[in-house]
Amino acid sequence: MSRELASLTLRAEKLLYIRAALVKALGAISAFFLTVVVAKVLNSEATGMFMLTYTILLVCVAIFRFGMDGIILRELSGNIEAGKPLHNTALIFTFLTSSILALIFFYYSDFIAIKVFSKPQLSTLMSTMLWALPFMTFYTLIGVGYQSVHKVEWFVFFQNLGVSSVFITLILFVWWNLNSSMDGGQAALAFLVSALFMFLISLKWFFTNRAAPDFNRRSLRRLFSSSKNIFLSEVMVQSVAWSGVIVGGIWLSASDVAYLTISQRTAMLISFILMVVNMVLPVRIARLWSEKKIDEIQKVSNACCRSLLLVVVPLCIVMILMSDFIMNFFGSDYAGATLVFSILVVGQAVGVSLGPVGFLLLMTENEKPYRNATLVSGIVSVVLVVILTREFGVIGSACAVAFSTAFGKVLLAAQVRQTLGFWPFIK
């Protein structure tokens, strides 16, 4: 009987991974085509400005969840009823605080665009697009609730599939009706409308599934007590991921920012398989940890890393060999970004091959080791990006981002070895 039950559990888990892969593929494709459409509709300079603003927006969304998404996922996965007050409180608090930040960006958009980035044309995009911040913070946290109960379709929809699909449809509609004439400000407004649409959908879910907005001070204190280490870590993770683009916005031309951003976002397609794993595996790790089954966590981690390696290595080789074709797909203006793209692909491949090291720490209540590793890698990333971007331009920035991505994952793997007693990729 127990053998049959184990077989059914394994079969259900395989089906869940297949579902997750299919849905995440749609999400990855929509994010990729968002980049393609922007590059095709706008010129390279306007593309650079739009992608820089979009990157700032995504970084702020991640940071202004205050690390609460990881805590909510863990709590809802363990006991959904006990986790609901935390989820409600996080939704309301992050929406209010990110609204204040959006107002600050709106008021100081001219100062930031001119004094920080030396790009006056950035002001219009920032003052428009960054109003999407509270909307995105809210509906991405709604998605975490779906992830905790394995509703991967809705999780991906609220993470990026929904807003990307609406934006692509809207921007193509506007572009067609304007007879192929569109600027960055119009694209920013189209994105804001898309985010608002997603927010209204998530708001309907919130009031349908939760009896009333429940803001609980005790829940807020508990969230901050648990998430303070994750919050600092999230800042550092975002530094590793996007400091190249943001620092590049200061010293690089708008066209070089476009090369770097599009190359990086395209190279991140290689992490698709890890994203699929991260949709499903954290819930299982959290449950195994609650049952104190460390050996099972090690087995799952080892199997995951072997599978990732088998996929990532050939994919990395193919993407480098086809780098000319891939970059030219965005337009002839991006043919010069081939080397930048290849460098970033290598960095992504190394990082993905090491497996879900961050979630191994977070789902086993090792927030401090996670914080320490990300703090070091974040500082190293920012320092390298500043030095190499100023000295070597966009190539230096790409090298700094690739090294920092790989280095950060190695540090996290070492923390897994120290805290849990095993290397994620070695039996």
Side-chain angles (χ1 to χ4, degrees), residues 34 86 89 92 122 127 149 156 162 167 195 200 213 228 240 259 263 298 311 328 382 388 399 412:
L34 182 151
L86 294 177
T89 300
I92 297 169
L122 191 65
S127 61
V149 291
V156 174
F167 173 70
L200 294 175
K228 58 186 178 183
V240 172
Y259 296 160
S263 297
Q298 181 179 3
V311 174
N328 275 292
V382 172
L388 295 184
C399 290
L412 287 170

Side-chain angles (χ1 to χ4, degrees), residues 55-68:
T55 299
I56 294 171
L57 174 61
L58 292 181
V59 169
C60 289
V61 168
I63 291 174
F64 271 73
R65 291 194 296 253
F66 297 101
M68 295 179 182

Side-chain angles (χ1 to χ4, degrees), residues 34 37-38 41 50 125 128-129 132 163-175 182-198:
L34 182 151
V37 167
V38 170
V41 169
F50 180 89
L125 278 76
T128 302
M129 197 167 170
V163 72
S164 297
S165 301
V166 175
F167 173 70
I168 290 169
T169 303
L170 189 57
I171 197 173
L172 288 177
F173 175 79
V174 174
W175 178 70
M182 195 172 193
D183 60 33
Q186 291 166 330
L189 181 59
F191 189 87
L192 175 60
V193 171
S194 304
L196 176 60
F197 177 77
M198 289 298 301

Side-chain angles (χ1 to χ4, degrees), residues 71-106:
I71 303 302
I72 290 166
L73 177 60
R74 188 176 69 202
E75 295 297 325
L76 289 175
S77 299
N79 186 328
I80 192 165
E81 290 303 321
K84 279 183 179 180
L86 294 177
H87 194 196
N88 290 347
T89 300
L91 285 166
I92 297 169
F93 179 78
T94 55
F95 179 81
L96 293 175
T97 52
S98 57
S99 296
I100 294 171
L101 181 64
L103 182 62
I104 292 171
F105 270 120
F106 177 78

Side-chain angles (χ1 to χ4, degrees), residues 289 294 297 360-361 364 366 415-422:
W289 176 252
I294 306 296
I297 294 176
L360 278 170
L361 292 170
T364 55
N366 286 298
Q415 291 290 353
V416 170
R417 174 69 178 87
Q418 185 175 349
T419 56
L420 299 179
F422 63 86

